[in-house]
Amino acid sequence: MITPSFDQTLIARAATGLYNLQLGSSTTDWALEWVNGGNGTVEDLVNQLFVRDFGTMSDADVAAMVVENVNITEPAPRRRRRHCLRGPKAGFRRPGAEGCDDPGGAAGVFLAGR
Protein backbone atom coordinates (compact mmCIF):
# COMPACT_ATOMS: atom_id res chain seq x y z
CA MET A 1 0.00 0.00 0.00
CA ILE A 2 1.25 3.47 -0.86
CA THR A 3 0.76 6.56 1.25
CA PRO A 4 1.45 9.56 -0.99
CA SER A 5 3.10 12.58 0.58
CA PHE A 6 3.45 16.15 -0.60
CA ASP A 7 7.19 15.64 -1.14
CA GLN A 8 6.50 12.47 -3.10
CA THR A 9 4.12 14.37 -5.35
CA LEU A 10 6.66 17.13 -5.97
CA ILE A 11 9.35 14.56 -6.78
CA ALA A 12 7.05 12.77 -9.23
CA ARG A 13 6.08 16.03 -10.93
CA ALA A 14 9.73 17.10 -11.27
CA ALA A 15 10.64 13.71 -12.77
CA THR A 16 7.87 14.06 -15.32
CA GLY A 17 8.68 17.66 -16.21
CA LEU A 18 12.44 17.29 -16.44
CA TYR A 19 12.91 13.70 -17.55
CA ASN A 20 9.52 12.57 -18.90
CA LEU A 21 9.69 9.66 -16.45
CA GLN A 22 7.34 7.98 -14.05
CA LEU A 23 9.53 7.03 -11.11
CA GLY A 24 9.48 3.57 -9.64
CA SER A 25 9.25 2.94 -5.93
CA SER A 26 13.01 2.47 -5.41
CA THR A 27 13.89 5.83 -7.00
CA THR A 28 11.05 7.57 -5.17
CA ASP A 29 12.20 6.00 -1.89
CA TRP A 30 15.77 7.14 -2.58
CA ALA A 31 14.63 10.72 -3.21
CA LEU A 32 12.42 10.77 -0.11
CA GLU A 33 15.27 9.37 2.00
CA TRP A 34 17.55 12.07 0.60
CA VAL A 35 15.06 14.77 1.63
CA ASN A 36 14.08 13.22 4.96
CA GLY A 37 17.72 12.49 5.79
CA GLY A 38 18.46 16.18 6.23
CA ASN A 39 20.26 16.70 2.93
CA GLY A 40 17.90 19.49 1.90
CA THR A 41 14.44 20.09 0.58
CA VAL A 42 12.80 18.66 -2.55
CA GLU A 43 13.60 22.00 -4.18
CA ASP A 44 17.29 21.55 -3.29
CA LEU A 45 17.31 18.05 -4.78
CA VAL A 46 15.58 19.14 -7.98
CA ASN A 47 17.90 22.13 -8.35
CA GLN A 48 20.98 19.91 -7.95
CA LEU A 49 19.69 17.51 -10.59
CA PHE A 50 18.70 20.39 -12.86
CA VAL A 51 22.13 22.02 -12.69
CA ARG A 52 23.83 18.67 -13.27
CA ASP A 53 21.71 17.57 -16.21
CA PHE A 54 20.36 20.75 -17.80
CA GLY A 55 22.57 23.59 -16.55
CA THR A 56 24.04 24.28 -19.98
CA MET A 57 20.68 24.53 -21.76
CA SER A 58 19.03 27.86 -22.48
CA ASP A 59 15.88 28.82 -20.59
CA ALA A 60 13.91 28.56 -23.84
CA ASP A 61 15.18 25.04 -24.51
CA VAL A 62 14.35 23.91 -20.96
CA ALA A 63 10.88 25.45 -21.23
CA ALA A 64 10.26 23.70 -24.56
CA MET A 65 11.41 20.39 -23.08
CA VAL A 66 9.16 20.70 -20.03
CA VAL A 67 6.18 21.71 -22.19
CA GLU A 68 6.73 18.63 -24.34
CA ASN A 69 7.28 16.34 -21.34
CA VAL A 70 4.07 17.35 -19.59
CA ASN A 71 2.18 17.27 -22.88
CA ILE A 72 1.09 20.89 -23.07
CA THR A 73 0.10 21.20 -26.70
CA GLU A 74 -1.39 24.67 -26.85
CA PRO A 75 -1.82 27.61 -24.50
CA ALA A 76 -5.03 28.12 -22.58
CA PRO A 77 -7.47 30.48 -24.28
CA ARG A 78 -7.05 34.08 -23.24
CA ARG A 79 -9.90 36.51 -22.78
CA ARG A 80 -9.58 40.21 -23.27
CA ARG A 81 -10.54 42.39 -20.36
CA ARG A 82 -10.70 46.11 -19.88
CA HIS A 83 -8.85 47.65 -17.02
CA CYS A 84 -11.05 50.49 -15.79
CA LEU A 85 -8.93 53.07 -14.10
CA ARG A 86 -11.83 55.10 -12.67
CA GLY A 87 -15.35 54.53 -11.47
CA PRO A 88 -17.20 52.44 -8.91
CA LYS A 89 -16.07 49.18 -10.52
CA ALA A 90 -12.43 50.04 -11.20
CA GLY A 91 -10.34 46.99 -11.96
CA PHE A 92 -10.41 44.28 -14.61
CA ARG A 93 -13.68 44.06 -16.54
CA ARG A 94 -14.69 42.52 -19.83
CA PRO A 95 -14.97 44.93 -22.76
CA GLY A 96 -18.23 46.84 -22.58
CA ALA A 97 -18.70 46.27 -18.85
CA GLU A 98 -20.81 48.81 -17.01
CA GLY A 99 -19.54 50.75 -14.02
CA CYS A 100 -16.47 52.26 -15.59
CA ASP A 101 -16.62 56.07 -15.74
CA ASP A 102 -14.63 56.12 -18.95
CA PRO A 103 -15.81 52.97 -20.80
CA GLY A 104 -14.48 53.91 -24.22
CA GLY A 105 -11.89 56.57 -23.57
CA ALA A 106 -8.23 56.70 -22.78
CA ALA A 107 -8.69 55.45 -19.21
CA GLY A 108 -9.80 52.01 -20.40
CA VAL A 109 -6.80 49.91 -21.37
CA PHE A 110 -7.18 46.44 -22.86
CA LEU A 111 -4.96 43.81 -21.33
CA ALA A 112 -4.68 40.08 -21.94
CA GLY A 113 -5.77 38.14 -18.92
CA ARG A 114 -7.47 35.05 -17.65
Side-chain angles (χ1 to χ4, degrees), residues 7 29-48:
D7 286 344
D29 290 346
W30 171 85
L32 287 171
E33 287 173 14
W34 190 92
V35 171
N36 295 330
N39 296 301
T41 64
V42 172
E43 182 180 352
D44 296 331
L45 174 61
V46 172
N47 280 324
Q48 285 184 21

Side-chain angles (χ1 to χ4, degrees), residues 8-97:
Q8 186 176 8
T9 302
L10 292 174
I11 291 165
R13 291 180 76 185
T16 300
L18 293 176
Y19 301 100
N20 197 23
L21 292 174
Q22 181 177 3
L23 297 180
S25 61
S26 61
T27 305
T28 301
D29 290 346
W30 171 85
L32 287 171
E33 287 173 14
W34 190 92
V35 171
N36 295 330
N39 296 301
T41 64
V42 172
E43 182 180 352
D44 296 331
L45 174 61
V46 172
N47 280 324
Q48 285 184 21
L49 294 172
F50 176 83
V51 168
R52 183 191 76 189
D53 296 339
F54 308 105
T56 59
M57 292 175 66
S58 71
D59 290 346
D61 288 342
V62 171
M65 177 188 66
V66 170
V67 164
E68 182 177 334
N69 288 348
V70 296
N71 199 25
I72 300 172
T73 57
E74 60 184 71
R78 298 182 66 82
R79 295 173 288 188
R80 294 178 61 84
R81 295 183 179 200
R82 178 179 296 279
H83 186 252
C84 297
L85 301 177
R86 298 182 300 210
K89 294 187 177 181
F92 287 102
R93 300 284 177 255
R94 287 196 169 87

